[in-house]
Amino acid sequence: MKISLNGMAKALLITIFSSVILIPTAYANNPLPTIKADAPNRYTVKKGDTLWDISGRYLDSPWRWKEIWATNKQIKNPNLIYPNDILILCVIQGKTLIGVDTGEGCAGVEKQLTGNMVASSVTITSTANSIPAIPMTAIQHWLDKTIIVNPKDFNTTPYVLASKTRNLITASGDKIYAKGVPLIVGQRYGVYREGEMYVDPRTQKIIGLEVTQVATGLATNVASNGVTSLQLTDSYDKEVREGDRVFVELDNAIPPVFYPTPATVNRGGMIVRVMDSISSAARGSVVAINLGSIHGAKPGDVLTVYQKGPLVRDTIDNDTPVRLPSEPTGMVMVFNTFDDISYAYVLSSELPLNVGDQLLPPPYL
């Protein structure tokens, strides 16, 4: 079973925008991000803070936070910050930077930045309890058990035929039977529930199928007629139903830490679904977008959301209809990617965000 949607990549040659949108890879000649006029000189990191919120305290363009971050060269994960860390604004070599106060003030931050510290080896720091980029509780469901697959592949996998008790299965320890390609005895398998089918709003092409893992089981026997017996070892808040699909658990590995950064996708995109909602998205919502790994999307990518301008009539020019320019209305950050689709968290929204809203990398200047 493949998680990829490579077979449908050619269907996406028609992109949302007529031109390819790229952001520059070299910013050496650009000025540093603008520090907010009311940015604090000192800030004590609190439990519940997020990297995005902290960046927003200091910067007018929080997605550019890394450009003013004084990283400690002696730390393997220099961008990690923790509750009770004290962040300070310092002017170092003519540049305003943010660093973690180690007790020596800006002099200590400068030592970290320049590497003039008495340390012979790199310190390994744990990601545990560090400040996340965005609230993990808001995205956990879409990280753990929900994935996007190729619908054609999904429909060829074995399916749950029945249970030993002929009832719904709700707990580990129960036995189910799967029909289809015989499974390997002793192998762990996931049981997946079919969900939302994704269609690109512009091309009307199917670009993926959302499925949710409802259980895990161990193949214990394969009968002569090809029916496989599975003992359920774990269930995930949902019953197993007849017709659910069975295949090897897919590795939905997410980086242990990801940081907001301007997206470097190779084209523009659109919001294709507002998760857990039939209407609009706001700050803190999760949306699905039609930009995936084949378009260069990766966890941490920040994109600006634009809403199409309204159609107005030019009363001076015989009531000719004129479309007003699209305006930025919010920002999203990608946190999980598949071939053609990604899940993204809404970082900000001036207006409700809707299916069909356009996505572009944030302006650098």
Side-chain angles (χ1 to χ4, degrees), residues 196-214:
E196 184 88 5
M197 189 76 75
Y198 283 93
V199 178
D200 191 291
R202 185 177 179 87
T203 65
Q204 297 303 306
K205 301 293 186 181
I206 294 174
I207 56 175
L209 172 67
E210 186 176 277
V211 300
T212 301
Q213 186 174 3
V214 297

Side-chain angles (χ1 to χ4, degrees), residues 158-162 175-185 187 189 218-223 225-231 246:
Y159 56 89
V160 175
L161 179 66
K175 181 176 285 188
I176 61 174
Y177 304 100
K179 183 180 178 182
V181 177
L183 303 178
I184 300 173
V185 174
Q187 172 73 55
Y189 291 91
L218 186 71
T220 59
N221 181 64
V222 178
N225 62 357
V227 174
T228 300
S229 301
L230 295 105
Q231 196 80 24
V246 181

Side-chain angles (χ1 to χ4, degrees), residues 6-320:
N6 291 333
M8 298 184 183
K10 294 182 180 178
L12 297 180
L13 293 178
I14 301 174
T15 61
I16 288 176
F17 301 97
S18 58
S19 59
V20 173
I21 305 299
L22 292 170
I23 61 175
T25 56
Y27 302 136
N29 297 324
N30 286 301
L32 287 171
T34 303
I35 303 291
K36 284 185 174 180
D38 59 349
N41 289 322
R42 294 173 63 85
Y43 177 72
T44 301
V45 180
K46 300 176 180 61
K47 184 177 181 179
D49 279 341
T50 65
L51 182 59
W52 180 261
D53 290 337
I54 292 173
S55 301
R57 292 178 186 271
Y58 287 95
L59 297 178
D60 288 319
S61 304
W63 59 89
R64 297 183 63 188
W65 69 277
K66 255 189 174 182
E67 297 172 58
I68 67 164
W69 187 255
T71 54
N72 184 348
K73 295 181 180 180
Q74 307 301 324
I75 302 296
K76 184 175 181 180
N77 299 311
N79 297 312
L80 294 179
I81 53 176
Y82 301 85
N84 299 319
D85 278 351
I86 297 175
L87 305 181
I88 53 177
L89 272 178
C90 299
V91 178
I92 300 175
Q93 299 176 358
K95 298 178 181 179
T96 302
L97 301 173
I98 298 173
V100 176
D101 187 4
T102 59
E104 298 181 85
C106 289
V109 173
E110 185 169 7
K111 288 181 182 179
Q112 297 173 37
L113 180 65
T114 58
N116 297 326
M117 301 181 67
V118 181
S120 58
S121 60
V122 173
T123 302
I124 305 298
T125 54
S126 170
T127 61
N129 302 317
S130 63
I131 296 299
I134 56 178
M136 297 302 291
T137 54
I139 66 173
Q140 201 65 55
H141 172 75
W142 312 105
L143 285 174
D144 288 344
K145 301 301 176 187
T146 302
I147 55 177
I148 307 295
V149 299
N150 185 320
K152 292 182 179 179
D153 289 345
F154 183 79
N155 291 330
T156 64
T157 59
Y159 56 89
V160 175
L161 179 66
S163 68
K164 182 177 180 179
T165 60
R166 303 300 301 275
N167 294 320
L168 296 178
I169 311 303
T170 58
S172 60
D174 293 314
K175 181 176 285 188
I176 61 174
Y177 304 100
K179 183 180 178 182
V181 177
L183 303 178
I184 300 173
V185 174
Q187 172 73 55
R188 280 172 56 92
Y189 291 91
V191 182
Y192 290 85
R193 174 79 38 78
E194 182 175 356
E196 184 88 5
M197 189 76 75
Y198 283 93
V199 178
D200 191 291
R202 185 177 179 87
T203 65
Q204 297 303 306
K205 301 293 186 181
I206 294 174
I207 56 175
L209 172 67
E210 186 176 277
V211 300
T212 301
Q213 186 174 3
V214 297
T216 299
L218 186 71
T220 59
N221 181 64
V222 178
S224 58
N225 62 357
V227 174
T228 300
S229 301
L230 295 105
Q231 196 80 24
L232 295 185
T233 57
D234 298 281
S235 57
Y236 308 112
D237 301 323
K238 292 183 179 181
E239 75 283 357
V240 174
R241 300 175 184 169
E242 293 179 1
D244 287 343
R245 297 287 175 164
V246 181
F247 47 87
V248 175
E249 289 182 292
L250 298 176
D251 181 13
N252 194 24
I254 303 296
V257 180
F258 49 81
Y259 302 105
T261 185
T264 53
V265 290
N266 59 23
R267 66 164 175 82
M270 299 174 72
I271 294 176
V272 295
R273 184 185 170 198
V274 177
M275 315 305 285
D276 286 339
S277 173
I278 60 172
S279 55
S280 304
R283 187 178 187 274
S285 299
V286 173
V287 297
I289 65 176
N290 67 342
L291 291 169
S293 57
I294 66 172
H295 311 112
K298 58 189 180 302
D301 277 359
V302 174
L303 294 145
T304 301
V305 184
Y306 291 83
Q307 287 188 354
K308 183 184 293 185
L311 196 63
V312 300
R313 294 193 174 278
D314 186 344
T315 58
I316 305 300
D317 187 15
N318 299 317
D319 280 344
T320 303

